Amino acid sequence: MEISVSMLEGQKQSAKFGDLEVISDQSINAGGNAEHPEPFDYFLVSMVLCAGFYARKFCEQRDISTQGMTLTQNNENVDDNGKKLFSIEINLPEGFPDKYKKALIAAVNTCTVKKVIQAVPEFSVVVK
């Protein structure tokens, strides 16, 4: 998938891919207007949204209601080199079967975002 980024006014940027567009901004301290999430915020939220997708799919396949289910992600610094600990807590809906709790965790752990991060992706930057 190709993502094309264009510079907008101030510190805003537009990322377009397919028919979709995501706008980012920076905090006021960084010269932005804080009108949209910062790029790193999109990265952080992608993990818990991905986990939520897999949790929902798991429940749908077993006809388990997700009404009232929430996922909460916390991000902590582990060291001064930028290493972080990401933890996701799944708050189960009332009546969620105990026998599926471990399987739900296993399903959430198949999140594509998590897998890509754990595979330690390589990056290439070129100037044209």
Side-chain angles (χ1 to χ4, degrees):
M1 168 182 25
E2 182 175 284
I3 302 171
S4 176
V5 173
S6 301
M7 305 299 151
L8 304 176
E9 81 268 355
Q11 297 299 314
K12 293 184 188 85
Q13 299 179 76
S14 165
K16 292 185 179 179
F17 47 103
D19 294 332
L20 302 174
E21 178 181 26
V22 173
I23 307 276
S24 73
D25 198 358
Q26 293 293 323
S27 67
I28 293 171
N29 291 341
N33 293 325
E35 293 176 358
H36 300 277
E38 293 184 25
F40 190 66
D41 296 330
Y42 281 111
F43 166 72
L44 292 174
V45 77
S46 72
M47 290 182 284
V48 71
L49 285 171
C50 185
F53 169 78
Y54 282 92
R56 180 192 306 264
K57 282 302 199 187
F58 177 89
C59 291
E60 286 176 347
Q61 290 170 348
R62 289 155 185 82
D63 201 27
I64 300 169
S65 173
T66 57
Q67 186 173 359
M69 178 182 281
T70 60
L71 287 84
T72 305
Q73 178 175 294
N74 287 296
N75 318 301
E76 302 171 36
N77 292 328
V78 174
D79 61 31
D80 292 336
N81 297 322
K83 186 174 180 180
K84 298 196 177 302
L85 169 65
F86 301 109
S87 60
I88 296 175
E89 181 179 293
I90 305 168
N91 300 298
L92 297 173
E94 234 178 88
F96 188 92
D98 284 340
K99 69 180 184 176
Y100 287 129
K101 287 180 181 179
K102 286 183 181 178
L104 175 64
I105 292 169
V108 167
N109 277 325
T110 64
C111 164
T112 308
V113 175
K114 178 183 174 190
K115 284 182 174 181
V116 168
I117 294 167
Q118 289 177 321
V120 188
E122 294 186 26
F123 295 88
S124 169
V125 179
V126 296
V127 176
K128 290 187 176 184

